[in-house]
């Protein structure tokens, strides 16, 4: 189990801006890592109402279950448990909950793990780059019949991170756009699809 405060800043990109950043940072194909995010909530959307999110992320090297609880506008408390292939498969199929630290946090929020259900999957091609004391991510995501592009910056300090991110956007002539988290963009696309 790990628990950390994640401070992040994000901005949607156009396809052209994304391509320009890949070129600017000389990104090679082997630097792009595919990850799959499986999102969960209760039928009453308890996590969404608590401004939190729960996912199982499948990476080439490992699988993890993460609960994100909002702390401030740009910070989230993340509780993460590593999962085996079998444990992840059972959780995705709704046949058990094998993330003990995440379960403890859910119970503290009065959410029973058996109430959770998978509501969708989003795949992301991600590039991670060290940048000015933090991590810069360039993401190309695919979900439902949608795809989008995003830049994300993770920092150790909220004010410093905000300053670095604003300078980054200005230096690359990228318009500041109100950007929701991936799970929220997925949920909105799902709601529009079912209308």
């Amino acid at each position: 189990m790990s628990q950390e405060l994640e401070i992040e800043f994000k901005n949607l990109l156009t396809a052209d801006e994304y391509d320009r950043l890949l070129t600017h940072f000389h990104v090679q194909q082997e630097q792009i890592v595919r990850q799959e995010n499986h999102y969960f909530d209760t039928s009453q959307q308890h996590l969404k109402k608590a401004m939190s999110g729960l996912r199982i992320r499948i990476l080439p090297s490992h699988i993890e279950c993460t609960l994100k609880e909002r702390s401030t506008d740009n910070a989230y408390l993340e509780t993460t448990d590593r999962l085996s292939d079998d444990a992840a498969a059972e959780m995705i199929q709704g046949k058990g909950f094998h993330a003990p630290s995440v379960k403890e946090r859910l119970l503290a929020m009065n959410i029973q793990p058996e109430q959770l259900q998978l509501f969708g999957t989003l795949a992301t091609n991600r590039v991670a780059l060290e940048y000015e004391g933090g991590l810069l991510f360039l993401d190309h995501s695919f979900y439902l019949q949608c795809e989008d592009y995003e830049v994300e910056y993770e920092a150790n300090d909220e004010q410093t991170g905000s300053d670095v991110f604003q300078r980054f956007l200005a230096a690359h002539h990228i318009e500041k756009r109100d950007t929701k988290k991936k799970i929220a963009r997925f949920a909105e696309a799902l709601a529009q699809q079912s209308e």
Side-chain angles (χ1 to χ4, degrees):
M1 188 273 286
S2 73
Q3 199 169 54
E4 64 182 7
L5 191 65
E6 179 186 69
I7 300 169
E8 63 182 13
F9 304 87
K10 46 181 64 229
N11 201 74
L12 284 170
L13 300 171
T14 65
D16 180 61
E17 289 167 343
Y18 174 81
D19 289 338
R20 281 194 289 117
L21 290 173
L22 291 182
T23 300
H24 175 82
F25 288 105
H26 309 289
V27 173
Q28 303 300 309
Q29 188 61 41
E30 60 270 14
Q31 290 175 266
I32 301 173
V33 175
R34 179 84 162 191
Q35 59 185 35
E36 208 173 83
N37 295 303
H38 300 274
Y39 296 121
F40 298 82
D41 205 338
T42 66
S43 57
Q44 289 81 39
Q45 298 184 317
H46 287 104
L47 286 168
K48 181 180 180 183
K49 289 172 185 167
M51 298 173 80
S52 299
L54 178 67
R55 69 165 185 242
I56 290 177
R57 175 172 283 173
I58 300 175
L59 295 152
S61 59
H62 66 280
I63 302 172
E64 59 191 25
C65 177
T66 300
L67 174 67
K68 286 189 170 197
E69 299 171 75
R70 189 169 190 169
S71 176
T72 68
D73 279 350
N74 298 303
Y76 290 81
L77 176 65
E78 287 192 352
T79 304
T80 300
D81 287 305
R82 284 261 184 129
L83 300 175
S84 68
D85 291 358
D86 290 343
E90 285 185 11
M91 287 175 68
I92 289 167
Q93 294 164 16
K95 296 180 178 173
F97 198 88
H98 308 292
S101 301
V102 171
K103 180 178 183 176
E104 189 177 305
R105 295 293 305 170
L106 289 168
L107 292 173
M109 298 169 74
N110 293 316
I111 297 172
Q112 300 299 317
E114 57 272 10
Q115 295 176 302
L116 295 167
Q117 50 193 259
L118 176 71
F119 72 88
T121 301
L122 177 148
T124 299
N125 291 336
R126 169 167 272 192
V127 177
L129 305 161
E130 290 185 13
Y131 185 81
E132 296 205 18
L135 280 175
L136 190 71
F137 299 100
L138 304 176
D139 290 345
H140 182 189
S141 296
F142 308 86
Y143 51 101
L144 305 173
Q145 279 74 50
C146 305
E147 65 180 297
D148 63 35
Y149 305 86
E150 167 185 34
V151 60
E152 185 178 306
Y153 182 66
E154 282 187 13
N156 296 320
D157 173 79
E158 198 160 349
Q159 187 58 57
T160 303
S162 177
D163 294 345
V164 168
F165 194 60
Q166 298 312 315
R167 284 196 309 271
F168 172 86
L169 294 178
H172 293 280
H173 309 287
I174 296 169
E175 175 189 337
K176 178 76 178 113
R177 300 174 180 101
D178 184 35
T179 302
K180 296 178 178 170
K181 297 185 81 52
K182 287 179 184 71
I183 191 171
R185 299 197 308 265
F186 180 94
E188 282 182 3
L190 188 63
Q192 288 173 357
Q193 195 177 64
S194 58
E195 285 177 357

